[in-house]
Structure formats: structure tokens, C-alpha cells
Amino acid sequence: MTKLQIRPTGRESPFRDDEMIVSKTDLKGRITYANEVFERVSGYSMKELIGQPHSIVRHPDMPRCVFKLLWDTIEAKGEIFAYVLNMAKNGDHYWVLACVTPTLDAQGNIIGYHSNRRRPSREKLEKIIPLYRALLAEENRAANRKDGMHNAFRQLTSDLQKRGVAYDEFVLTL
């Protein structure tokens, strides 16, 4: 089954509070390492994961503007915490609170990226889901995906500026 054939089921993929999903990617976001929790929760075998873009687990209801913020941050050698909705191979979903960081060589050059992900509390998700729905709706209003992403990104950054916080601070203080 190809990624385009996978449809969301509305069921949540099992993921325990005491588990951590770990992955590493190259500079293009292709998976170079995944732990067994990632393999089990995503439903993909290690062979299916390694070498694939991390977007293999991207859920269609996840706003693209959040990924823009994530990539802008880590490409600038920053660390970011972000809530992410992922989709398993069978169409089940799972929410994570991700901490994504660049991996640097001895000269300080980015050579890849590392992500640790935990299961967020239901209480936190009740606050993030309406925001993500609004961002996704903004993305879908535009005539094309790129314009939609940029419009939603502006909406997100404007909202954060009004609150006087960066995205990380917003996420960690929900």
C-alpha cells in the first residue's frame, strides 16, 4: 500500500506514557535510525522506515505550517518542541510531543537531525487540537498548498506575537 492509499481510520495507535519514540534523519529528512517503539507504533518495519522521508508518518490533518516552523528552527541550529499528529501505516493516528534538534559535527555543521517523542497528555491536546484545526482550515482556504501554508504560518506567528511568546514557550506552557 502506498502512502497515497492510506486513509485515516479515526482510531488511535497504541502508545504508552512511559515510551519514547526516537528517530534520526539525514539533512533531507530521510530516516537513518528508528527505535523499536517507532517501528511498532507506526506499523512500519525497520526495512520500510530506513531511507524513507520522515513524512512517511505525516497525517493529512497536521498543519504544514507547523513543519515549516520546525524546519526553519532546526535548520538555524535551534531546538524545537512541537505537538505533531502522525499516521501509522494502517491509517491509525498518534499524537506526540516532539523535541527535534540538529546533530552537529565537530565544526558545528549540521549533519542530521534527532527527534525524541513522548505521548502528550489529553489535557494538552484539548488545547492544541483547536489551534491546529484553525491552521489547517487557513491552509485549505488558499488556491494552492504553498500559499495556504504561508498564510497559516503568518496566522500562527501573529497569534504567538500577540501572546508575547515563541512557539516553544507556548507549547511547553499549555
Side-chain angles (χ1 to χ4, degrees):
M1 181 180 295
T2 66
K3 179 72 175 166
L4 294 176
Q5 295 172 321
I6 300 171
R7 299 283 182 250
T9 63
R11 292 185 311 258
E12 191 164 354
S13 185
F15 181 31
R16 295 190 323 261
D17 290 341
D18 66 341
E19 293 182 303
M20 185 179 300
I21 296 173
V22 179
S23 61
K24 295 179 183 180
T25 69
D26 64 14
L27 293 172
K28 299 284 187 186
R30 291 180 297 251
I31 300 168
T32 59
Y33 169 83
N35 71 346
E36 65 84 19
V37 179
F38 188 10
E39 181 181 24
R40 181 179 47 79
V41 174
S42 73
Y44 289 98
S45 70
M46 200 63 65
K47 185 176 180 180
E48 291 172 305
L49 288 170
I50 302 300
Q52 292 301 310
H54 212 286
S55 61
I56 192 171
V57 293
R58 186 185 181 283
H59 194 287
D61 291 341
M62 181 64 197
R64 293 173 64 236
C65 67
V66 175
F67 289 117
K68 176 182 174 8
L69 178 64
L70 185 148
W71 277 104
D72 288 354
T73 303
I74 61 176
E75 287 177 342
K77 299 183 181 178
E79 172 184 64
I80 188 167
F81 289 86
Y83 287 98
V84 178
L85 176 61
N86 288 322
M87 186 166 64
K89 183 179 179 180
N90 68 356
D92 291 356
H93 68 273
Y94 57 102
W95 280 96
V96 297
L97 174 56
C99 174
V100 186
T101 59
T103 303
L104 307 176
D105 66 13
Q107 291 73 43
N109 300 309
I110 299 174
I111 57 172
Y113 303 98
H114 180 261
S115 179
N116 293 326
R117 297 172 302 284
R118 292 204 172 272
R119 183 176 169 185
S121 73
R122 203 45 67 189
E123 175 187 48
K124 307 278 183 182
L125 290 178
E126 288 174 9
K127 296 175 182 176
I128 206 74
I129 288 171
L131 170 63
Y132 280 17
R133 282 188 183 139
L135 293 172
L136 189 63
E138 182 63 31
E139 288 181 358
N140 291 334
R141 267 192 277 285
N144 65 62
R145 290 171 43 98
K146 187 175 181 179
D147 288 345
M149 181 191 63
H150 287 292
N151 293 345
F153 184 80
R154 282 191 293 276
Q155 178 179 324
L156 174 61
T157 54
S158 173
D159 183 47
L160 292 171
Q161 286 174 346
K162 288 176 188 171
R163 295 172 189 250
V165 297
Y167 180 80
D168 277 11
E169 186 179 352
F170 167 73
V171 164
L172 294 173
T173 58
L174 283 177

